Amino acid sequence: MTAVTGTGGSAPLALVVGGSRGLGLAAARQLADRGYRLALTARNAEDLERAAAQLRKDGTTVEVHACDVRDEAGMEAVVALVEQTAPIEVLLHVAGVIQVGPLAAMNRDDFREAIDIMLWGPINTALSVSPRMVARGHGRIGIVTSVGGIVPAPHLLPYTTAKFGATGFSRGLRSELSGSGVTVTTAEPGLMRTGSHLNAQFVGNQGPEFAWFSTADNIPLVSMDADRAASQIVDAVLSGRAVVQPTPLAKIAQRVDALAPNATSVLLGAVTRLLPDAPPSAVHEKVPGHVAQQRLRPRARGQVQWLTTLGRRAARRLNQATRDTSQVSPEPPVMS
């Protein structure tokens, strides 16, 4: 790897928002491999400390700050605190939430949560960091959106809504900062094996919803290894590229939609009709994937565990192991 230096010849600093697990942790490792010191933020302090402990074993300098990206003042405070030690040379926003289920089982709170985290999160973070970068005349910003932010994903409407907004913000921010020395890269990955199916939130017919989502999220050739995706994203951000689509599905989906939007709409409608319906008169209940998995019949649960072997391995490596670790074993992925 090419060595990089920051102010005064020291290692430069990268702030990874949502860096405690999954794709965020994988990207943090990639930045560390390229010579960066790290500042990680996430909502859960315990997750942050576990991630930092993993990174420090490899000799990486890491500081952690528990903060909710929905908290504008909190993000401003974290950025100010981090910059007391060194300027933030790279900002990578990865924080997100995934809610899976039919629209009939969703409510407005699901949309608020998705938009607050995955649209206001990038806005709050970038507006805190970018003026400082502009004042210095250089900086790299990466915002992880999704293929679901350019082509709507079935049974992921709150997620899709927020990601469409984040894609527009990220691409527009690049234009606004043109000529300032600060670049903004929009990362639009598709399915990745990060282990996040165990922590995604499921509504409606939760067991079958978990079965289709976790299987799709972990099939080789359809989903991508998280470390490979993170490497491509980090390379694109550091080189200042406008857009990166690291997974095959993302590239294919965008091109098909651009060439044949009506056909794409028909196909997505057909897929949606094949997915589980919401139970009649169901009470709105949202459970994490490791709980939804237990609502499958034993035979189906065993089949799903076998099909998601690679994702469960990724979960252990990327700090996605749930509080109920029995759901990550026995042995034997996600949109961003």
Side-chain angles (χ1 to χ4, degrees):
M1 300 285 181
T2 302
V4 291
T5 57
T7 305
S10 61
L13 179 65
L15 172 62
V16 183
V17 180
S20 64
R21 62 187 188 186
L23 180 63
L25 178 54
R29 286 175 176 160
Q30 294 294 329
L31 285 161
D33 287 346
R34 289 155 176 77
Y36 284 82
R37 292 183 292 153
L38 299 174
L40 307 182
T41 72
R43 283 180 288 178
N44 188 288
E46 183 181 340
D47 287 346
L48 278 170
E49 291 298 341
R50 281 201 302 267
Q54 289 183 22
L55 292 163
R56 287 169 183 149
K57 286 181 181 178
D58 298 326
T60 304
T61 300
V62 186
E63 59 181 278
V64 297
H65 303 275
C67 183
D68 193 323
V69 294
R70 295 172 287 190
D71 180 359
E72 175 188 350
M75 284 307 306
E76 288 276 5
V78 165
V79 169
L81 183 61
V82 170
E83 289 231 336
Q84 287 181 5
T85 58
I88 297 170
E89 302 287 350
V90 176
L91 165 65
L92 184 60
H93 188 284
V94 195
V97 61
I98 303 172
Q99 305 130 317
V100 186
L103 176 61
M106 300 283 184
N107 63 26
R108 283 176 170 79
D109 287 340
D110 297 316
F111 285 88
R112 291 189 187 98
E113 180 183 37
I115 291 168
D116 284 350
I117 293 173
M118 294 183 292
L119 178 51
W120 277 112
I123 292 171
N124 289 338
T125 306
L127 295 188
S128 297
V129 174
S130 60
R132 299 167 183 268
M133 290 182 169
V134 169
R136 293 189 290 266
H138 60 88
R140 296 283 186 264
I141 295 174
I143 296 176
V144 176
T145 65
S146 170
V147 64
I150 49 178
V151 179
H155 278 210
L156 290 162
L157 189 53
Y159 177 92
T160 289
T161 302
K163 290 295 190 179
F164 262 78
T167 298
F169 171 73
S170 183
R171 292 193 180 201
L173 182 63
R174 181 182 178 90
S175 299
E176 293 291 331
L177 299 183
S178 177
S180 68
V182 180
T183 60
V184 182
T185 300
T186 306
E188 300 167 349
L191 296 167
M192 295 171 288
R193 296 187 294 276
T194 66
S196 61
H197 64 287
L198 295 169
N199 291 297
Q201 302 171 357
F202 293 84
V203 301
N205 201 345
Q206 296 146 343
E209 291 285 355
F210 175 83
W212 81 259
F213 178 83
S214 61
T215 299
D217 202 32
N218 288 282
I219 298 175
L221 302 180
V222 174
S223 66
M224 187 176 189
D225 174 78
D227 293 319
R228 284 183 56 215
S231 178
Q232 291 183 26
I233 290 170
V234 167
D235 283 344
V237 171
L238 297 184
S239 64
R241 286 172 55 189
V243 177
V244 57
Q245 296 171 332
T247 60
L249 181 63
K251 296 182 176 70
I252 294 169
Q254 183 192 32
R255 285 158 178 75
V256 171
D257 183 58
L259 291 171
N262 288 334
T264 302
S265 178
V266 170
L267 176 61
L268 291 173
V271 171
T272 300
R273 290 193 295 275
L274 292 173
L275 296 178
D277 292 327
S281 305
V283 175
H284 180 268
E285 181 189 25
K286 192 161 51 179
V287 301
H290 62 90
V291 174
Q293 179 177 244
Q294 299 309 302
R295 300 187 178 181
L296 289 167
R297 293 180 179 179
R299 182 177 178 181
R301 186 164 63 244
Q303 291 172 337
V304 169
Q305 284 195 324
W306 179 77
L307 289 168
T308 60
T309 296
L310 294 176
R312 288 185 289 113
R313 289 176 180 169
R316 288 189 288 270
R317 189 178 74 254
L318 297 175
N319 201 25
Q320 293 276 21
T322 63
R323 275 56 176 175
D324 181 3
T325 54
S326 65
Q327 306 314 320
V328 185
S329 302
E331 172 117 4
V334 47
M335 293 178 163
S336 109

